[in-house]
Amino acid sequence: MNLYPINAGNFKLDGGAMFGVVPKALWQSTNPADANNMIDLTARCLLIEDGNRLILIDTGMGTKQSSKFYGYYHLWGDHTLDGSLKKHGFHRDDITDVFMTHLHFDHCGGCINWNSNKTGYEPAFKNAKFWSNKDHWHWATQPNSREKASFLKENILPMQDSGQLQFTTVPSGDMLLNSELGFDIFFADGHTDKQMIPLIKYKNKTIAFMADLLPTAGHLPLPYVMGYDTRPLLTLTEKEKFLNIAASNNYYLFLEHDAHNEIITVTNTEKGVRLKDIFTSQDIFQ
C-alpha cells in the first residue's frame, strides 16, 4: 500500500465560525486571522494505492461553481486536485473509488464537473465508484435549513444519476470494521449526520483521516468546536472518545483542513488530550 496527500486547493473561512463560542484571544495563537478575521484552511485529500484499487478520500470544492461563489472563500495558492494527482503520477481517470467523508461542498464538490459540452453535470471520475452511506445520503438530499447551503444538489444528485453511487454499511454502533473499502470507519454525528472517519492501516501505523471531527490542530481542546456543527454537544462526546483512543493507540491524525500541519499525534495530559508531535506526509508516507 502507498499513501499520497492530494491538495485540492486552499481557502479561508471566518475564524469565529471555525471556533464557535471560543474567544478569538484563545484560538488566534494557533490559527492567526487576517484583517478580515479569515483563517488559512486547505482541502487536503488522501489517495490510497492498494493493489488494483486507487481510492481517493474527499475531493475539495471542485471548479464548477461561479467566481462569485469562490469569492466567498478567498481561494489562495496554486494547488489543484489534478495538479496534485499528476505530481504523484496519476490522473483522475485512474481513480477506482472516491470515498466521501460527508457531502458538504468543500468535501465532495470535486466529484462532479460541468461537462466540456456545457450541457450538464457529469462525474469528474468516470471510472470510479462514489461511496457514501444511506443515512448521510438521506440527510444530505433532504437537508435541514441550517445545512442546506452546504449540501449543493449539483454536487450530489449527479452521482446517483450516473449509476456510480455506492453505500457503505452503517454499523449499529460508531465503528465499522473492515468496510467495503478495506479500512475501518468511525461514524460521528455531531458535525453532520453519519460523517465517516477512515482509519487506514499503513506500515504498522493507523492513519486517521480526520475530516471535520478535527479540522485543525488548533481544535484539539474539547470545547473548540466549529460553529458549523449541527450538534456541538455531541461533537464534544465524540471528539473526546476518539482523541482518547488516538492518544492511547498512537494514531497518526491526517488533518484535512489544517493548512500548516499535515499530520499530528496526540497525548494525554492533565488538561486532556493535547498535541504531541507534528509530521509532514513525507515523514510518514515515504
Side-chain angles (χ1 to χ4, degrees), residues 167-271:
F167 293 126
T168 65
T169 302
V170 176
S172 56
D174 57 17
M175 184 66 76
L176 175 63
L177 301 178
N178 193 26
S179 73
E180 293 85 346
L181 281 299
F183 45 70
D184 298 343
I185 302 172
F186 180 81
F187 283 72
D189 298 315
H191 177 61
T192 188
D193 199 63
K194 295 295 179 287
Q195 178 184 203
M196 298 188 287
I197 307 300
L199 304 172
I200 299 111
K201 300 296 185 183
Y202 175 76
K203 294 184 178 179
N204 298 317
K205 300 179 178 67
T206 297
I207 312 296
F209 187 94
M210 294 308 296
D212 282 339
L213 182 61
L214 187 73
T216 75
H219 286 83
L220 278 171
L222 292 182
Y224 287 41
V225 173
M226 292 190 291
Y228 300 111
D229 285 23
T230 59
R231 305 172 181 127
L233 294 180
L234 185 52
T235 295
L236 282 174
T237 302
E238 293 169 339
K239 196 168 140 185
E240 181 176 28
K241 178 178 181 177
F242 190 90
L243 289 178
N244 278 318
I245 294 171
S248 298
N249 293 280
N250 198 36
Y251 287 0
Y252 290 78
L253 308 183
F254 185 94
L255 302 177
E256 183 168 13
H257 285 318
D258 194 320
H260 305 294
N261 302 293
E262 290 185 90
I263 298 171
I264 62 171
T265 53
V266 294
T267 187
N268 283 301
T269 74
E270 293 180 355
K271 293 183 178 181

